[in-house]
Amino acid sequence: MIELEIGHAFADLAIDIRFRANSRWLALFGDSGAGKTTALNAIAGLLEPERGRIALDGQILFDRCAGISISAGARDVGYVFQDGRLFPHLDVRANLMYGARARKRSTADMMSLVDLLDLGALLERMPLSLSGGERQRVAIGRALLSQPRILLLDEPLIGLHREARMQVLDYLSRLKQEIDIATLLVSHQPEEAAALADEVILLDAGQVSAQLDVATFAARQKISVPASQAG
Amino acid sequence: MSTLTSAEWQALLLSLQVGFLSVLASLPLAIGLAWLLSRKRFPGRMLVEALMFLPLTLPPVVTGYALLVLFGRNGWIGQWLDPLGIVFAFRWTGAVLAACVMGFPLLVISIRVAFDQVDQRLERAAETLGASAWRRFFTIVLPLSSRGIIAGCVLAFARAFGEFGATITFVSSIPGETRTLSIAIYELMNLPGGEAGVARLTWVAFAIALAATLIAAGLGGSLWGRRRHD
């Protein structure tokens, strides 16, 4: 279960996000600038909110009042960034193993994950030679191999062309079926959220505007989602 | 061009030795300071930068005199080092120290630019993967800035190799001990019939300096361009 109550003021946006969710795959959905990535960064420990509290499965990761702030490295999260952020000087294999080695985790599962994400043919390649979709698959694999408690996906399909987007979406669906891990997906594409999430939290201008099960979310989006977001 | 005399060889080898050792000795401190200047904001940062740049702006003779005041056998620091057997004044070790001081700003600037060019978002990605600050530094920052670091080392070596003013003021010109290539050239110029030796050593100095600059430029690429990622 994830509990989040954070407040933070940026120059152009003040966010006040509060939610509590138990779903295995949760989506944060909203327009650009709604505060989705801010919430993700706060959970990952990359942003320290001005106020609030964050707890994961009962463990407090951050509590401003109590003076608790676990460092990003000790939060056991797997973060897949929008741009993958693969280490350009390391090949795919070394990128995949980076988190596992840093956290001194077992690497026995590497090959099954490599199979699941079809990364076998890419292991010796350098990140710069990969396509956008391949990069994201490696980034997902790298995050999972560090064996996190929660997987954070920050718009993992953004910037990919349609074919690559469908491909990565398919891999994420397979991941959901085969790996039991809590996942928080940030998206501004209703199809992505509807395809992957069990529950959707709608963010608007830095606040939670609704918390819906995926069926209700899909039904609502069929009516209200603008064409520019449905692309 | 005839071959170098044994005294000229001695001066050349001493300059190479001083160049290599000064870079080697100042590299850890330069890397640490460059990282601090690139990544941290701290009180007194501007003062540290100004002090670091001083050897570039001060007349080298003044730097040499300051080294004498500090590290002479009766100097502020030298008097404490002398009983421990650590002597700089009028020794080849002093030539290395002078070269360290004179090359240090170039080394720090080059390494700092290289650190600035490392995408800090990669460090944050490594942090979320559980990498400690040291691990991030050694596995992300250092490898990605290695070309700039090597380019800085080459530039600092070239600077140390050609050092003259601070060296002659601090350690004088003792054949086989402190008479480096630059000092040897200067002394040959003042010696009747020394023109041939001056020419030989000048060509050697020219070749080494040009090679070092080309290597630094090749490795550094857009060495002086800065790009910062947040």
Side-chain angles (χ1 to χ4, degrees):
Chain A
M1 176 197 272
I2 185 154
E3 300 164 74
L4 184 135
E5 296 176 19
I6 56 167
H8 196 83
F10 294 99
D12 54 349
L13 174 75
I15 64 155
D16 186 4
I17 301 173
R18 297 155 191 264
F19 66 80
R20 177 181 296 198
N22 224 346
S23 302
R24 205 167 65 88
W25 276 63
L26 180 71
L28 290 180
F29 178 83
D31 285 335
S32 178
K36 309 183 295 291
T37 300
T38 300
L40 226 53
N41 284 341
I43 293 166
L46 298 180
L47 170 86
E48 199 160 283
E50 288 164 358
R51 58 184 188 280
R53 179 178 177 279
I54 301 166
L56 184 62
D57 296 330
Q59 187 203 0
I60 296 172
L61 301 180
F62 174 78
D63 190 330
R64 174 63 75 185
C65 292
I68 298 170
S69 182
I70 294 176
S71 70
R75 289 194 184 193
D76 264 357
V77 301
Y79 199 145
V80 178
F81 297 88
Q82 285 182 14
D83 52 3
R85 292 193 199 176
L86 299 184
F87 305 127
H89 57 302
L90 302 177
D91 65 14
V92 167
R93 184 190 298 275
N95 263 283
L96 286 171
M97 302 304 289
Y98 190 92
R101 285 186 178 138
R103 289 195 169 126
K104 297 183 172 61
R105 300 279 158 82
S106 157
T107 53
D109 294 338
M110 179 181 163
M111 286 322 289
S112 61
L113 197 64
V114 164
D115 288 341
L116 183 67
L117 293 167
D118 278 339
L119 299 174
L122 308 178
L123 289 176
E124 313 306 325
R125 301 249 308 264
M126 298 304 283
L128 284 175
S129 72
L130 302 177
S131 70
E134 288 169 340
R135 266 203 296 273
Q136 282 306 62
R137 275 154 52 202
V138 176
I140 293 164
R142 182 179 71 175
L144 283 171
L145 270 169
S146 71
Q147 298 176 21
R149 287 189 301 166
I150 186 168
L151 182 65
L152 307 176
L153 302 170
D154 187 9
E155 309 228 31
L157 311 183
I158 201 166
L160 301 182
H161 61 77
R162 185 172 169 73
E163 196 182 326
R165 214 162 59 218
M166 298 310 293
Q167 206 181 49
V168 176
L169 191 62
D170 187 47
Y171 280 111
L172 286 171
S173 301
R174 282 164 62 181
L175 211 73
K176 183 178 178 184
Q177 300 302 320
E178 299 194 24
I179 296 183
D180 184 24
I181 183 168
T183 302
L184 181 51
L185 166 78
V186 155
S187 178
H188 71 283
Q189 297 283 0
E191 293 88 352
E192 275 173 39
L196 293 170
D198 305 315
E199 189 176 8
V200 182
I201 289 166
L202 278 73
L203 292 180
D204 184 25
Q207 295 195 322
V208 174
S209 60
Q211 187 164 351
L212 309 169
D213 64 74
V214 72
T216 312
F217 169 76
R220 276 203 193 178
Q221 288 300 321
K222 276 176 191 168
I223 299 165
S224 61
V225 68
S228 61
Q229 284 188 6
Chain B
M1 191 176 74
S2 56
T3 54
L4 300 179
T5 65
S6 64
E8 288 162 7
W9 271 113
Q10 206 172 43
L12 172 63
L13 291 177
L14 180 63
S15 279
L16 289 171
Q17 178 184 334
V18 166
F20 279 118
L21 290 179
S22 67
V23 172
L24 210 62
S26 48
L27 189 58
L29 186 59
I31 287 177
L33 185 58
W35 185 84
L36 275 179
L37 294 173
S38 172
R39 295 289 192 274
K40 300 289 176 190
R41 300 286 173 269
F42 54 90
R45 188 170 177 275
M46 278 186 69
L47 182 66
V48 170
E49 277 188 291
L51 285 172
M52 185 197 76
F53 277 112
L54 268 184
L56 282 186
T57 51
L58 275 175
V61 173
V62 174
T63 304
Y65 178 70
L67 285 172
L68 205 53
V69 169
L70 289 172
F71 291 98
R73 296 191 91 137
N74 297 315
W76 297 354
I77 300 171
Q79 63 179 312
W80 301 103
L81 297 177
D82 194 48
L84 304 173
I86 303 169
V87 179
F88 289 108
F90 307 108
R91 298 277 174 87
W92 70 271
T93 47
V96 173
L97 179 62
C100 280
V101 171
M102 298 303 287
F104 193 68
L106 286 175
L107 196 53
V108 174
I109 292 166
S110 301
I111 297 172
R112 185 199 164 165
V113 171
F115 285 168
D116 283 348
Q117 289 182 327
V118 173
D119 187 343
Q120 288 185 42
R121 295 174 305 173
L122 294 175
E123 294 174 59
R124 302 181 92 195
E127 193 180 357
T128 66
L129 289 165
S132 64
W134 283 107
R135 193 180 181 92
R136 295 197 295 276
F137 181 73
F138 283 109
T139 59
I140 307 294
V141 180
L142 266 191
L144 287 176
S145 47
S146 57
R147 287 170 68 90
I149 294 173
I150 295 169
C153 288
V154 175
L155 279 179
F157 167 80
R159 180 70 188 80
F161 180 78
E163 218 309 291
F164 176 74
T167 307
I168 200 165
T169 311
F170 183 36
V171 294
S172 187
S173 171
I174 303 166
E177 182 73 26
T178 65
R179 185 179 290 165
T180 58
L181 185 103
S182 304
I183 295 172
I185 290 175
Y186 175 74
E187 294 197 334
L188 281 169
M189 283 172 68
N190 293 314
L191 204 67
E195 293 83 359
V198 171
R200 283 193 296 272
L201 290 180
T202 301
W203 277 111
V204 170
F206 182 78
I208 289 175
L210 184 65
T213 312
L214 286 175
I215 291 169
L219 285 170
S222 55
L223 194 60
W224 309 111
R226 287 182 64 180
R227 191 177 74 238
R228 181 177 277 282
H229 298 278
D230 294 316

